[in-house]
Amino acid sequence: MQVRGAPAIAIVAALSVAVEAVDIVKTLDLDVNCNSYGAETPSANETAKKLTIQLGYLVTSRPTAVNLADAAAKLKMVVYSAADGSKADCRSVLKAYIGAAEQMLMDDVKDNEQIGMHGTAWILKRTLPDSRVSVITHCNTGSLATAGYGTALGVIRSLHLSGRLRHVFYTETRPYNQGSRLTGYELIHDGIPATLITDSMAAALLSTRGKSDNIVAIIVGADRVAANGDTANKVGTYALAVLARYHGVKFLVAAPMTTVDMETKSGADIRIEERPQVEVLNIRSPRVVKNAYGKQEVLKGSVEEVCVAAQNTHAWNPAFDVTPAELIDGIVTEKRVVEKDKHGVFQWDRVFD
């Protein structure tokens, strides 16, 4: 796994094709034939076709996260629109693509900041004035999973900036440990008070410290939100939603509108990616040593892989699970927080207008 995080996957895919497009434009500017496409410079339509083939191939890499397919579809529309112009040529189509990919990068950061603002307002509206709140989050949904700022972690950042955040509890997120490795890094970097827990500790945390720490919400990201609100996210999310409902804690999904897939009716229609069992059986991590004072230090540049299961163990490794809409209190988008109506149905009409 080289890139993870639904928004980041989409942005990296778009920009990877843009990098090649930039190189080709530079070649064309030197009046040299476009060798990446063959012996001769292709026409505008041929260029558009080549770009769409590349995007289509990238879409096959991650079946669950919808952002990648959404970005590819929008970029295909851009290149074919550019190719339709009367003066269109290879260069103009490539430049149109590059501009659109760069705009996606900038838009993602702005959208995430709006998600943070809306999520913070929603949470604080439901708490006592001037009270400081704690939250739980799962996996990594910050700058390392998006173009910047983050979705669920963006809400947490916004809460912290408001001065109303007391503490963040973040899960280890087995088996790939995105929480302990990535979310922990971002929280420490930003100076946000936080404590790491294993995935299996969430119930005990809510039971023993939910009231004393004023844990008011569990905030997660999403890889795909179906039309009915069912949400596919990192495996373990469903369990947290069940715990939230039992303990009377709000459960929020934070995701940009690009994650909402109106073509997918429910979670039953979402294809769940299953990853290699070795990710469950083994862990890769840097070595630790004790310094002269007896304190643990990470030995930089020394990544090792160790087995954490009995030899010949078989493991099941779904990368995601689906949380039913009835367990979700709100879906935080860049436009607003979408809630269910009196019939328990998420209403998207006004959001997509």
Side-chain angles (χ1 to χ4, degrees), residues 260-317:
V260 180
D261 181 10
M262 298 303 291
E263 299 299 316
T264 299
K265 293 182 178 181
S266 73
D269 301 316
I270 299 176
R271 178 186 168 192
I272 300 300
E273 176 186 357
E274 293 193 14
R275 295 190 56 78
Q277 63 177 350
V278 69
E279 293 178 357
V280 177
L281 304 178
N282 297 357
I283 289 180
R284 296 181 71 251
S285 185
R287 286 182 57 196
V288 294
V289 295
K290 288 187 176 180
N291 61 21
Y293 303 99
K295 292 185 176 181
Q296 178 176 294
E297 288 185 353
V298 174
L299 197 61
K300 295 182 179 179
S302 61
V303 177
E304 296 183 355
E305 185 168 348
V306 297
C307 181
V308 294
Q311 191 173 1
N312 299 322
T313 296
H314 295 282
W316 179 49
N317 188 17

Side-chain angles (χ1 to χ4, degrees), residues 24-38:
I24 295 169
V25 170
K26 288 179 180 178
T27 301
L28 292 173
D29 288 342
L30 294 173
D31 293 327
V32 178
N33 282 334
C34 181
N35 293 325
S36 294
Y37 288 99

Side-chain angles (χ1 to χ4, degrees), residues 8-256:
I9 290 169
I11 296 298
V12 170
L15 293 179
S16 66
V17 177
V19 168
E20 183 183 7
V22 168
D23 289 340
I24 295 169
V25 170
K26 288 179 180 178
T27 301
L28 292 173
D29 288 342
L30 294 173
D31 293 327
V32 178
N33 282 334
C34 181
N35 293 325
S36 294
Y37 288 99
E40 297 181 358
T41 302
S43 67
N45 284 327
E46 290 170 335
T47 303
K49 183 178 180 180
K50 177 69 174 182
L51 289 169
T52 58
I53 290 173
Q54 291 174 322
L55 290 168
Y57 175 71
L58 289 171
V59 168
T60 65
S61 65
R62 299 301 298 273
T64 304
V66 72
N67 306 61
L68 175 56
D70 179 80
K74 290 174 180 175
L75 290 167
K76 288 177 184 179
M77 291 177 62
V78 168
V79 296
Y80 276 115
S81 176
D84 280 343
S86 59
K87 296 183 179 180
D89 59 11
C90 177
R91 183 186 285 101
S92 65
V93 173
L94 291 171
K95 286 187 174 181
Y97 178 91
I98 294 165
E102 290 175 338
Q103 188 62 47
M104 280 186 173
L105 176 67
M106 294 183 285
D107 288 345
D108 189 60
V109 176
K110 292 178 182 177
D111 289 346
N112 291 340
E113 290 172 346
Q114 290 296 308
I115 288 171
M117 180 187 71
H118 291 311
T120 292
W122 192 92
I123 290 170
L124 296 183
K125 184 179 179 181
R126 289 158 178 78
T127 58
L128 294 174
D130 301 322
S131 64
R132 298 176 71 229
V133 302
S134 297
V135 298
I136 297 173
T137 193
H138 186 57
C139 199
N140 175 256
T141 57
S143 296
L144 299 176
T146 64
Y149 202 71
T151 53
L153 200 52
V155 176
I156 290 169
R157 283 190 163 104
S158 183
L159 272 170
H160 179 61
L161 290 172
S162 75
R164 300 282 300 278
L165 180 66
R166 176 176 179 168
H167 208 82
V168 179
F169 296 93
Y170 62 103
T171 62
E172 178 184 35
T173 319
R174 284 281 290 146
Y176 219 68
N177 297 327
Q178 295 98 322
S180 57
R181 294 187 296 113
L182 305 178
T183 298
Y185 174 84
E186 293 199 50
L187 292 169
I188 292 168
H189 178 273
D190 285 9
I192 298 175
T195 298
L196 171 67
I197 61 172
T198 67
D199 298 3
S200 57
M201 292 177 184
L205 174 67
L206 287 168
S207 177
T208 61
R209 298 178 59 176
K211 292 183 178 179
S212 61
D213 283 277
N214 197 23
I215 300 174
V216 300
I218 296 177
I219 315 170
V220 301
D223 286 80
R224 187 185 297 250
V225 178
N228 72 336
D230 290 351
T231 296
N233 191 49
K234 182 54 54 187
V235 68
T237 300
Y238 183 12
L240 288 172
V242 172
L243 291 175
R245 181 58 54 91
Y246 181 81
H247 289 278
V249 170
K250 298 298 183 184
F251 189 85
L252 290 176
V253 171

